[in-house]
Amino acid sequence: MGGPDNHFAQTPKPPYVAVIFTSLRTKADNDGYQAMADEMDRLAAGQPGYLGLESARDGEGFGLTISYWRDEQSAKAWKTNARHLAAQKRGRAVWYKAYHVRIATVGRDYASS
Amino acid sequence: MGGPDNHFAQTPKPPYVAVIFTSLRTKADNDGYQAMADEMDRLAAGQPGYLGLESARDGEGFGLTISYWRDEQSAKAWKTNARHLAAQKRGRAVWYKAYHVRIATVGRDYASS
């Protein structure tokens, strides 16, 4: 995944779609969770319309993950990807105590130089 | 700030505005940074149109903070709050190696039961 600067998604000019996934991890199955998270990051990156991913989780297990997509259609296609559906199911059963998903349209952005 | 469940913002039915702040901390002035971050959280919570805040930062100093607002107007008013402008200035000078801000409109959401 490279150095810390690569944490930033290199998104194009707005508009584009942001899927905001806010979650609180259980303490269960850390290895399984991490393996699946890595697989999902790789798999998402290969989907049509994928623009990037930003993610941070704190020491208490609370995390924010945002995936960026060209449009609603590509975001929805990723949500219904078969392997991703299996990951979501296991997430609900084992990995997440609670989560919240918000689908948003980015209209403006700016960054440090 | 309560228990970990309180990390989740209790936002109303969409639409509303999300200001996504992605940042990489320097290693400088941790105490000053934390004090200002706490002050800004409190100050933001008292602004008109404030709906909530979600934030996570990992062990490498990469973090996502999302503040939720009733509309673009209230999000902009917070951006230009005098005390907040001073915090932003010090952030650029001392606390952040890099950052990215995205202003988005949340159109849909769902959560774990």
Side-chain angles (χ1 to χ4, degrees):
Chain A
M1 297 290 288
D5 282 352
N6 293 2
H7 285 311
F8 290 95
Q10 302 301 315
T11 43
K13 254 174 82 91
Y16 50 85
V17 169
V19 179
I20 302 168
F21 179 70
T22 309
S23 65
L24 181 63
R25 280 272 287 121
T26 62
K27 298 195 186 303
D29 187 26
N30 249 319
D31 290 352
Y33 166 76
Q34 198 53 59
M36 184 67 96
D38 291 347
E39 181 189 335
M40 289 301 112
D41 288 359
R42 282 194 305 273
L43 191 58
Q47 302 305 304
Y50 173 89
L51 299 178
L53 188 86
E54 293 176 330
S55 188
R57 190 171 299 281
D58 68 21
E60 296 180 64
F62 184 76
L64 274 67
T65 297
I66 308 181
S67 60
Y68 299 104
W69 300 89
R70 188 176 50 217
D71 48 31
E72 283 260 350
Q73 187 184 4
S74 51
K76 279 184 188 168
W78 169 238
K79 186 182 190 317
T80 56
N81 171 286
R83 184 66 179 148
H84 188 203
L85 284 174
Q88 291 169 54
K89 187 175 176 182
R90 186 150 174 82
R92 286 190 297 271
V94 177
W95 296 319
Y96 297 118
K97 189 174 169 195
Y99 62 85
H100 198 144
V101 180
R102 294 175 174 94
I103 298 91
T105 302
V106 178
R108 294 186 292 125
D109 74 341
Y110 57 93
S112 56
S113 53
Chain B
M1 299 290 289
D5 282 353
N6 292 3
H7 285 310
F8 290 95
Q10 304 300 317
T11 45
K13 254 174 81 93
Y16 51 84
V17 169
V19 178
I20 303 168
F21 179 70
T22 309
S23 65
L24 181 62
R25 280 272 287 119
T26 61
K27 299 194 185 304
D29 186 27
N30 249 320
D31 291 352
Y33 167 76
Q34 199 53 59
M36 184 68 95
D38 292 347
E39 182 189 336
M40 289 301 113
D41 287 359
R42 283 194 305 273
L43 190 60
Q47 301 305 303
Y50 173 89
L51 299 178
L53 188 86
E54 292 176 330
S55 188
R57 190 171 300 280
D58 68 21
E60 297 180 63
F62 185 75
L64 273 68
T65 297
I66 307 181
S67 60
Y68 299 103
W69 301 89
R70 189 176 50 217
D71 48 30
E72 283 259 350
Q73 186 185 5
S74 50
K76 280 184 188 169
W78 169 239
K79 187 183 189 318
T80 57
N81 171 285
R83 183 68 179 145
H84 188 203
L85 284 175
Q88 291 170 53
K89 186 175 177 184
R90 185 151 174 82
R92 286 191 298 270
V94 178
W95 295 319
Y96 297 119
K97 189 174 168 194
Y99 62 85
H100 198 144
V101 180
R102 294 176 175 94
I103 298 91
T105 301
V106 178
R108 294 185 292 124
D109 74 340
Y110 56 94
S112 55
S113 53

